[in-house]
Amino acid sequence: VFEQNLAKNSSDKKNDEASIVFLDELTDIIKKLEIKLINITPDDKEKIGDYTYIPYDIEIKCDYEKFGKLISELEKNSRLINIDEFRLFNKVEKATSKKTIEALLDNRVEMKISTITLNKGS
């Protein structure tokens, strides 16, 4: 995993803004898990010490089980991925009938993740 995420220098392709390959992998995972994708937005890369972070803002709709599977799939990815934060929005207080309870299983989740590249030389 570390070799696949190691850049020889700061101009290495692994330090490009948003990786199309990573975005393709991410959308494939989301599609495979039958999660509704609302939005993916790459942010500007940030170099901190010997690391380059490329953040992505993601908004999805899914139940808890699919969200857990998504996290598991991100952990298995060949890229080093940090889950910076996530926010889960549900409507538990609006549960008034069996139909609305079933609808509650579909939660909106906002996530900020970052791919991490290790820079061998500055």
Side-chain angles (χ1 to χ4, degrees), residues 32-50:
K32 178 182 84 171
L33 294 173
E34 298 177 350
I35 292 173
K36 182 180 179 189
L37 176 62
I38 299 169
N39 190 29
I40 296 180
T41 307
D43 287 335
D44 294 332
K45 69 180 176 181
E46 186 176 355
K47 189 171 184 322
I48 301 172
D50 292 336

Side-chain angles (χ1 to χ4, degrees), residues 20-80:
I20 299 301
V21 174
F22 175 71
L23 283 171
D24 285 344
E25 290 175 1
L26 182 59
T27 54
D28 287 348
I29 291 167
I30 290 170
K31 193 179 292 184
K32 178 182 84 171
L33 294 173
E34 298 177 350
I35 292 173
K36 182 180 179 189
L37 176 62
I38 299 169
N39 190 29
I40 296 180
T41 307
D43 287 335
D44 294 332
K45 69 180 176 181
E46 186 176 355
K47 189 171 184 322
I48 301 172
D50 292 336
Y51 304 99
T52 301
Y53 295 84
I54 303 175
Y56 299 85
D57 291 317
I58 304 167
E59 188 175 351
I60 56 175
K61 273 189 115 172
C62 62
D63 60 27
Y64 294 111
E65 184 177 341
K66 288 179 182 177
F67 181 63
K69 288 179 180 179
L70 174 62
I71 300 300
S72 179
E73 289 294 322
L74 292 176
E75 288 178 341
K76 293 181 207 174
N77 194 282
S78 62
R79 290 298 316 255
L80 291 174

Side-chain angles (χ1 to χ4, degrees), residues 5-21:
N5 293 283
L6 183 64
K8 294 183 183 359
N9 55 48
S10 60
S11 61
D12 192 301
K13 273 190 107 163
K14 291 179 181 165
N15 284 321
D16 285 349
E17 286 293 323
S19 166
I20 299 301
V21 174

Side-chain angles (χ1 to χ4, degrees), residues 98-112:
K98 184 178 179 182
K99 188 175 183 179
T100 59
I101 291 172
E102 289 173 3
L104 294 176
L105 297 176
D106 213 18
N107 301 292
R108 186 170 62 90
V109 181
E110 293 177 354
M111 299 176 66
K112 183 175 210 88

